[in-house]
Amino acid sequence: MSSSDEAKKALIIWAQRVNMASLCSKAGTQEPLLFLLPHADGTGSFTAIWESEAAAVKTLHLAFGGGNMALMAYEQKKRFVVDAVVKCWQHQGRVNYTIVQEGISPRTAKGSLTFPTYRQLLDAMFADAQQLQQQQQQMQQVQQTLQSTEQGIRSAMQATGAAPTHYVNGVPHYGGVNF
């Protein structure tokens, strides 16, 4: 694997961790272990090892907006999740998604999104990861702009005496004018 593929893989894992952290926080589940795996037959998979199959279904059901889970049978929720993941990635070609109760312990579950080739997996998920990275950068720029604007407003208010320039023993001071 080339160094550019390693960089792609690192960005994909970062983006998926960001996504999973947010989703798992909302769902009240543990974040899964994430892997990008090339297979001997040339296919490639993005695999998540979950604490349980129920946690995977709950988290991914939330991710894809499956509605009120209380009104759905478990198998219906699982089918919804599998269909939603496939639909999300099907524009990249023939993909398959499975959730099975297996993994590193008897309770854990493995969710695998499989692409026809490892290259397709890398390219598709890398494009998705780049979008998230750009969104994060844009959010940082917005935050910086807001902070700069707030500082400008505070400075203008202090210059006009509308806001204190500093406090001494809890008493506000307005740039040399004390009240």
Side-chain angles (χ1 to χ4, degrees):
M1 190 178 313
S2 70
S3 62
S4 70
D5 285 350
E6 286 298 325
K8 284 182 178 182
K9 188 176 174 180
L11 184 64
I12 292 166
I13 294 294
W14 168 83
Q16 291 301 319
R17 281 188 179 140
V18 169
N19 287 334
M20 291 296 175
S22 174
L23 288 170
C24 291
S25 174
K26 291 175 187 171
T29 58
Q30 290 180 353
E31 294 175 37
L33 300 173
L34 305 174
F35 304 94
L36 291 171
L37 304 168
H39 300 288
D41 64 358
T43 62
S45 66
F46 170 70
T47 300
I49 304 296
W50 295 87
E51 62 187 291
S52 68
E53 186 180 87
V57 169
K58 180 180 180 183
T59 305
L60 295 173
H61 192 268
L62 175 68
F64 291 102
N68 188 346
M69 287 183 63
L71 302 177
M72 298 172 80
Y74 178 78
E75 286 303 317
Q76 186 180 11
K77 291 177 222 174
K78 184 176 174 181
R79 181 83 245 148
F80 171 84
V81 165
V82 169
D83 291 345
V85 172
V86 168
K87 188 175 183 178
C88 179
W89 291 99
Q90 71 185 2
H91 67 283
Q92 298 297 331
R94 182 181 47 83
V95 297
N96 183 40
Y97 186 72
T98 57
I99 301 175
V100 292
Q101 191 74 32
E102 67 175 46
I104 54 178
S105 81
R107 279 196 58 221
T108 60
K110 179 174 80 172
S112 290
L113 174 64
T114 305
F115 284 75
T117 68
Y118 187 66
R119 172 64 41 213
Q120 282 180 294
L121 166 76
L122 279 181
D123 292 345
M125 294 194 84
F126 180 69
D128 192 56
Q130 281 183 310
Q131 286 180 338
L132 178 63
Q133 186 180 42
Q134 288 171 351
Q135 289 171 350
Q136 294 263 327
Q137 289 170 347
Q138 289 169 347
M139 287 301 295
Q140 286 176 342
Q141 289 173 344
V142 167
Q143 289 294 334
Q144 289 171 345
T145 301
L146 286 173
Q147 288 174 348
S148 175
T149 302
E150 287 175 3
Q151 289 172 344
I153 290 170
R154 191 175 310 111
S155 293
M157 290 178 70
Q158 289 172 341
T160 61
T165 56
H166 62 282
Y167 291 83
V168 176
N169 296 327
V171 177
H173 290 265
Y174 294 83
V177 179
N178 295 318
F179 295 97

